[in-house]
């Protein structure tokens, strides 16, 4: 069987064992989009103006709900409604990083009750496998599409997510493949941490890559950008995560501009994916 990044999203959707991963891959195929938009704004007006503008072009909306200054429970109700109406999944970029008991409470409870509305969340592997156990104790109990991404590599200059840290992240994920659906990373992870004899043929981790920009190489705070071609065609990542490249940097949201940029990134991301798949077909896979 060819490596996951050489197979179509459609084939992978048919085979994936986790419902959230299946739903995401199906949505990507249906909308011809491997674009996730990071809606990093501080008012619910801007938040929904952006989501309504980009909804037709995305497979995933990535949120940081804790930066919304006027958050209220209606926000997540409306977000779920838009997710169904426009066929996209919701990823709360919470980056859990505590002991199992604490992350289970952070995921299920408090103001945000993240597990009740986010299809996908992420966690730093730093506490070890207990962080997965804690989150899975909530997510796996729900009769809903729920999955977890581990942060195996970060996009920022000088990130410590390298070498043995990344290897251990992948090992942890392999032990919990029912709930861990993939990684926030910059490359594919199949070859990480294997001796030549290990068998991983049925492993299909999704790679979601932040740090994507068509017009800029980085910001003044250590962020680093690569193009969709570098990320998807060359490094085999599955989803491009784009924030400021689409939503802009200024204070005012221009919905027409946001829509135009979303369309541009969707096209670039999908062309980069098709290039990867066509190359594979030419090789006779
Ligand atoms: O390594 C990472 C991991 C994440 S989830 N680097 C990142 O930039 N992110 C997130 O992706 C970050 O929190 C932000 O929401 C988004 C990138 O935003 P942009 O405006 O730089 O595209």
């Amino acid at each position: 069987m060819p490596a996951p990044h050489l197979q179509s999203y459609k084939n992978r959707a048919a085979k994936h064992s986790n419902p959230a991963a299946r739903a995401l891959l199906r949505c990507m195929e249906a909308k011809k989009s491997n674009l996730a938009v990071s809606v990093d704004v501080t008012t619910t007006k801007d938040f929904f103006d952006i989501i309504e503008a980009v909804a037709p072009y995305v497979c995933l909306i990535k949120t940081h709900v804790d930066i919304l200054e006027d958050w209220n429970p209606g926000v997540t109700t409306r977000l779920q409604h838009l997710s169904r109406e426009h066929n996209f999944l919701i990823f709360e970029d919470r980056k859990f990083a505590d002991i199992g008991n604490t992350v289970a409470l952070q995921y299920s409870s408090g103001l945000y009750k993240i597990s009740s509305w986010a299809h996908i969340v992420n966690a730093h592997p730093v506490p070890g496998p207990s962080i997965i156990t804690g989150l899975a104790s909530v997510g796996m109990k729900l009769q809903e599409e729920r999955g977890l991404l581990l942060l195996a590599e970060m996009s920022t200059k000088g990130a410590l997510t390298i070498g043995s840290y990344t290897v251990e992240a992948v090992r942890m994920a392999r032990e919990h493949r029912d709930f861990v659906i993939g990684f926030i990373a910059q490359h594919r992870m199949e070859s990480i941490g294997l001796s030549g004899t290990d068998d991983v043929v049925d492993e299909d981790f999704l790679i979601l890559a932040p740090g994507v920009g068509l017009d800029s190489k980085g910001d003044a705070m250590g962020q680093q950008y690569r193009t969709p071609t570098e990320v998807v065609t060359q490094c085999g990542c599955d989803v491009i995560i784009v924030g400021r490249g689409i939503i802009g940097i200024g204070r005012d949201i221009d919905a027409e501009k946001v829509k135009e940029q979303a369309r541009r990134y969707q096209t670039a991301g999908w062309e980069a994916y098709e290039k990867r798949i066509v190359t594979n077909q030419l090789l006779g896979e």
Side-chain angles (χ1 to χ4, degrees):
M1 182 169 53
H5 68 291
L6 301 177
Q7 300 172 38
S8 66
Y9 296 139
K10 189 174 168 194
N11 287 350
R12 293 166 65 184
K15 281 184 273 185
H16 213 290
S17 58
N18 176 285
R22 267 200 310 274
L24 180 59
L25 286 161
R26 269 202 300 260
C27 173
M28 291 161 76
E29 187 67 40
K31 292 177 83 173
K32 295 201 180 317
S33 173
N34 51 16
L35 172 64
V37 172
S38 259
V39 194
D40 297 343
V41 288
T42 55
T43 68
T44 55
K45 181 183 183 314
D46 286 352
F47 184 76
F48 284 116
D49 283 353
I50 290 168
I51 293 173
E52 280 173 2
V54 305
Y57 313 107
V58 300
C59 59
L60 192 63
I61 288 288
K62 186 175 84 60
T63 58
H64 284 293
V65 280
D66 58 348
I67 64 179
L68 287 170
E69 285 169 0
D70 54 349
W71 184 88
N72 62 78
V75 169
T76 42
T77 308
R78 184 166 166 200
L79 181 59
Q80 282 176 288
H81 176 76
L82 288 169
S83 147
R84 284 189 289 268
E85 185 185 349
H86 294 281
N87 187 24
F88 60 76
L89 276 77
I90 306 165
F91 165 21
E92 165 58 21
D93 184 4
R94 174 62 181 75
K95 295 188 181 73
F96 296 104
D98 214 317
I99 64 165
N101 184 59
T102 301
V103 295
L105 292 168
Q106 291 171 325
Y107 185 27
S108 64
S109 309
L111 270 188
Y112 303 117
K113 302 182 181 22
I114 295 166
S115 64
S116 71
W117 53 268
H119 301 97
I120 297 171
V121 289
N122 55 356
H124 285 294
V126 68
S130 56
I131 193 165
I132 304 177
T133 317
L135 292 167
S137 75
V138 175
M140 297 283 288
K141 273 210 198 103
L142 300 169
Q143 301 299 312
E144 308 270 355
E145 293 149 339
R146 296 290 178 264
L148 173 67
L149 302 165
L150 292 183
L151 284 118
E153 289 176 326
M154 290 197 71
S155 60
T156 36
K157 230 172 263 172
L160 305 182
T161 48
I162 52 171
S164 62
Y165 185 89
T166 303
V167 171
E168 290 310 318
V170 177
R171 289 218 176 102
M172 277 168 56
R174 286 197 178 116
E175 295 300 311
H176 294 88
R177 288 198 336 229
D178 46 354
F179 191 52
V180 180
I181 61 172
F183 301 99
I184 295 293
Q186 301 286 303
H187 310 89
R188 289 217 72 81
M189 294 284 126
E190 277 79 19
S191 61
I192 301 284
L194 293 178
S195 69
T197 53
D198 288 333
D199 179 10
V200 288
V201 281
D202 63 342
E203 169 177 306
D204 183 1
F205 289 120
L206 292 166
I207 308 292
L208 282 69
V212 179
L214 283 165
D215 306 312
S216 160
K217 287 281 151 216
D219 68 10
M221 296 187 220
Q223 177 67 299
Q224 305 178 109
Y225 293 121
R226 299 178 301 163
T227 64
T229 302
E230 290 171 288
V231 169
V232 177
T233 316
Q234 294 167 13
C235 293
C237 302
D238 296 312
V239 173
I240 54 171
I241 298 176
V242 185
R244 287 164 289 177
I246 289 176
I247 69 176
I249 300 168
R251 275 188 136 330
D252 296 323
I253 299 298
D254 177 341
E256 272 316 303
K257 229 186 233 165
V258 169
K259 189 180 281 226
E260 196 45 54
Q261 285 298 90
R263 200 182 290 132
R264 181 175 170 230
Y265 276 89
Q266 178 202 7
T267 304
W270 196 258
E271 283 176 1
Y273 158 71
E274 285 189 321
K275 226 181 274 170
R276 187 169 99 199
I277 295 298
V278 168
T279 311
N280 175 43
Q281 282 164 356
L282 291 177
L283 292 172
E285 294 282 4

